[in-house]
Amino acid sequence: MTEPAGFSLDVENLTVSIPLAAGTLRAVRGISFRVNQGETLCIVGESGCGKSLTSLALMGLLPAKAVRGADRLTLNGVDLTALSERQMSDVRGESMAMIFQEPMTSLNPAYTIGNQLEEALRRHRPVSRAEARERAIHLLEKVGITAAASRLQQYPHQLSGGLRQRVMIAMALMCGPDLLICDEPTTALDVTIQAQILHLLRDLQREFHMAIILITHDLGVVARMADRVAVMYAGEIVETGTAAEVFAAPSHPYTKGLLQCIPIPGRTKRGEHLGSIPGVVPSLIGEIAGCAFANRCPHAADACRSEPPARDLGPGRMVRCVLEPGAVPQMEPA
């Protein structure tokens, strides 16, 4: 198969399994997607649905006992599943980089900001320490940190949460990666700083022509950032489409339920009850028979006892449900 020109990440039937005493936890169950240059894909879903493990699987940073499988996992045509750990460490930071959810635990408290930024570049490029320092100062200024040169001598605990997150973004950009994976990068920040970080990511994406995978449970972030959306539930993708398509016409009952859980400016009245999704996510230990959402779906039928088909609704548009597209009724308010 000939690879298209330009950057692309292709994921087909990605699985992540973790052996436990009670059985095998099937945390990611056969997900597929594609990300092209300059595109933002948002992976959205409840906590525990497998979003973060998906990002760690792409980076090759899974826990020791976790087992990754895929029919296809390529970055710019390179098969990531065939790389050794040494080869994968060459890819991380160079071609793909990741911004983790909590910058305080991601930065090393024993080293200065400058040490950590310079190491990120010198690990992959034959540059001097002075050149690495110059690049670090440039990127710290690019992400909006004032007095960047003096910041290099500081330790992570001397910076605020917003500054630490900006340092993490600068570190991820040190080698100019093609793909930036952001695992809930604004979760630990207040609302004002969240908006600044999201605006910064969009500006940097346009400047560096990066592809971005943004993992979040915040649909407001999705509406602001996404070109395309992949909705995850219980370890699998249940709906994909452009952000406009998914928000305007959700085709899976879970997606509809998620959207009804958030207020709509100008339409949701003060004191009005928001929608809710009843029940709990099923255990992912062992095999799941039929649709994983059936125990929470008010529209479940006998057909849901079988594995729901992945319906192709057009280019880049898919839903995994037995209901006909457009037939998803409103979820009941709480």
Side-chain angles (χ1 to χ4, degrees):
M1 180 177 178
T2 303
E3 291 291 331
F7 165 83
S8 67
L9 171 73
D10 287 291
V11 180
E12 183 178 334
N13 196 27
L14 174 67
T15 62
V16 176
S17 301
I18 304 175
L20 302 174
T24 300
L25 173 64
R26 305 188 184 281
V28 178
R29 304 185 297 128
I31 69 172
S32 303
F33 57 86
R34 179 187 176 89
V35 188
N36 296 314
Q37 184 175 21
E39 184 179 43
T40 298
L41 171 69
C42 280
I43 302 178
V44 63
E46 295 175 81
S47 296
C49 70
K51 306 185 301 297
S52 292
L53 277 177
T54 296
S55 67
L56 295 175
L58 298 179
M59 293 290 290
L61 295 174
L62 287 168
K65 292 184 178 181
V67 179
R68 180 184 71 180
D71 292 342
R72 181 179 176 85
L73 180 56
T74 62
L75 179 70
N76 290 334
V78 176
D79 184 0
L80 299 182
T81 63
L83 300 182
S84 66
E85 176 54 34
R86 178 61 183 269
Q87 291 171 322
M88 193 66 204
S89 68
D90 292 336
V91 172
R92 287 192 292 263
E94 174 71 23
S95 300
M96 59 195 302
M98 186 168 177
I99 302 170
F100 294 93
Q101 184 170 350
E102 177 45 69
M104 190 60 199
T105 57
S106 302
L107 293 168
N108 192 322
Y111 291 91
T112 65
I113 297 302
N115 290 148
Q116 297 179 66
L117 288 169
E118 292 164 13
E119 181 189 17
L121 182 62
R122 299 187 72 197
R123 166 63 179 80
H124 297 280
R125 304 282 175 82
V127 299
S128 67
R129 186 172 297 279
E131 290 172 318
R133 175 185 170 83
E134 183 179 346
R135 172 73 171 172
I137 293 173
H138 169 71
L139 285 174
L140 288 180
E141 292 173 343
K142 184 69 68 176
V143 300
I145 294 180
T146 58
S150 64
R151 298 289 187 183
L152 296 181
Q153 305 304 316
Q154 294 183 311
Y155 290 85
H157 72 272
Q158 295 176 289
L159 304 180
S160 67
L163 286 177
R164 286 194 296 266
Q165 194 61 284
R166 289 170 187 267
V167 169
M168 285 295 299
I169 295 173
M171 186 180 298
L173 297 177
M174 285 296 286
C175 295
D178 296 314
L179 172 66
L180 183 63
I181 301 174
C182 308
D183 185 8
E184 304 202 32
T186 62
T187 297
L189 307 176
D190 62 54
V191 176
T192 303
I193 302 301
Q194 283 184 24
Q196 293 175 2
I197 294 298
L198 293 177
H199 183 73
L200 172 63
L201 286 173
R202 294 187 67 176
D203 288 345
L204 292 172
Q205 181 182 36
R206 285 191 289 265
E207 180 174 347
F208 291 92
H209 307 292
M210 296 181 299
I212 291 180
I213 296 178
L214 180 59
I215 294 170
T216 183
H217 60 267
D218 188 333
L219 292 173
V221 171
V222 174
R224 181 171 180 175
M225 295 290 294
D227 295 311
R228 291 191 300 112
V229 180
V231 182
M232 279 192 77
Y233 180 78
E236 63 182 359
I237 293 177
V238 297
E239 183 168 357
T240 60
T242 66
E245 290 170 338
V246 171
F247 276 85
S251 297
H252 194 280
Y254 177 63
T255 310
K256 174 75 78 172
L258 286 179
L259 290 173
Q260 291 182 338
C261 290
I262 59 175
I264 302 175
R267 291 177 54 186
T268 304
K269 299 177 182 178
R270 180 183 292 273
E272 183 178 347
H273 288 292
L274 298 177
S276 66
I277 304 176
V280 296
V281 179
S283 171
L284 298 182
I285 296 178
E287 297 292 339
I288 296 180
C291 176
F293 189 62
N295 68 321
R296 305 178 70 184
C297 181
H299 320 296
D302 289 341
C304 300
R305 296 175 182 173
S306 302
E307 181 67 21
R311 296 176 179 269
D312 186 357
L313 306 182
R317 188 86 167 97
M318 180 278 292
V319 64
R320 191 178 296 276
C321 186
V322 299
L323 288 175
E324 290 295 329
V328 180
Q330 295 282 330
M331 302 284 279
E332 292 297 325

